[in-house]
Amino acid sequence: MDVSKDTLVVSPIGRMKVDKSGSAVAVVRIDTAQAYIGIPDLLREFIDNSNAKAWEKIKKKIDYIFLNLEHVLGQLDTETRFGQKVKAEIIAGKKLLFKPNLVGPINIDPITHGEGLGNTACTEWPLVAAFMRWFHDKLDITYHQMALGEAASATSAFAGYFSSISKDGRRITTEAVID
């Protein structure tokens, strides 16, 4: 929306002039039923039964999040041109870091493949996937130029736990837990 500082808008607090003096802000409301709800069951169906329809439903949820992110990030990029700054950093050799806050990363129960202990203070993985896709599709940043970063103390503990229950005795790395 292209507006001047004298543009009046009607809001719940009355008619106000647009404030363009502060930081750029963009907001979108996401319906959790279309975004996240049901993913653990769909994921179990895909893991246990290779059900392609379940994976298509998961992708549809990620697509929904992606389209909503476009409303937010697209508008912010139009307003601030942050995409140019990000691309300049990538060209300079830096990686685009996503820090999803994986405090308790057991989204999938390792035995039943059902819902795990959950996202204890975590960013939902479909949201991270949609963010990464936005930067890939809209700013032409390859996935090799992106990284997930985490310093959660529980991630290493979970790697040890998963290693101890591995059926073939393989060591599970913290990177695998994050994946």
Side-chain angles (χ1 to χ4, degrees):
M1 179 164 144
D2 205 10
V3 296
S4 75
K5 66 179 181 171
D6 295 323
T7 301
L8 290 175
V9 293
V10 177
S11 76
I13 59 172
R15 291 173 52 91
M16 310 280 300
K17 284 186 179 181
V18 173
D19 176 8
K20 292 186 82 168
S21 62
S23 298
V25 176
V27 179
V28 68
R29 176 183 239 164
I30 294 179
D31 178 357
T32 56
Q34 292 186 61
Y36 308 116
I37 295 175
I39 284 184
D41 292 332
L42 292 168
L43 198 51
R44 177 179 39 215
E45 185 61 27
F46 179 71
I47 292 170
D48 289 349
N49 302 316
S50 301
N51 184 330
K53 287 182 182 179
W55 188 251
E56 289 303 315
K57 289 178 182 177
I58 291 171
K59 287 184 355 186
K60 185 177 178 181
K61 288 178 176 290
I62 294 171
D63 288 345
Y64 170 78
I65 297 168
F66 173 82
L67 291 172
N68 279 283
L69 282 178
E70 170 56 21
H71 294 301
V72 174
L73 296 176
Q75 185 63 40
L76 281 175
D77 190 37
T78 298
E79 187 75 24
T80 67
R81 301 287 182 230
F82 78 89
Q84 292 174 357
K85 296 171 188 168
V86 172
K87 288 187 69 99
E89 295 289 335
I90 297 297
I91 291 167
K94 294 182 180 178
K95 294 222 183 245
L96 178 58
L97 175 68
F98 294 89
K99 195 332 195 147
N101 199 28
L102 303 176
V103 175
I106 299 190
N107 294 309
I108 305 168
D109 184 287
I111 310 244
T112 68
H113 300 145
E115 190 165 8
L117 297 175
N119 285 336
T120 311
C122 292
T123 306
E124 294 282 348
W125 69 265
L127 180 63
V128 175
F131 263 108
M132 293 177 83
R133 180 176 158 204
W134 189 88
F135 283 92
H136 175 271
D137 291 4
K138 300 297 180 177
L139 298 184
D140 227 12
I141 297 172
T142 68
Y143 291 111
H144 294 306
Q145 294 168 312
M146 300 179 199
L148 282 174
E150 190 52 66
S153 59
T155 307
S156 298
F158 286 122
Y161 168 67
F162 291 144
S163 295
S164 73
I165 64 169
S166 172
K167 292 180 181 175
D168 59 7
R170 286 190 291 168
R171 181 179 163 267
I172 307 300
T173 64
T174 54
E175 291 86 355
V177 172
I178 290 171
D179 283 349

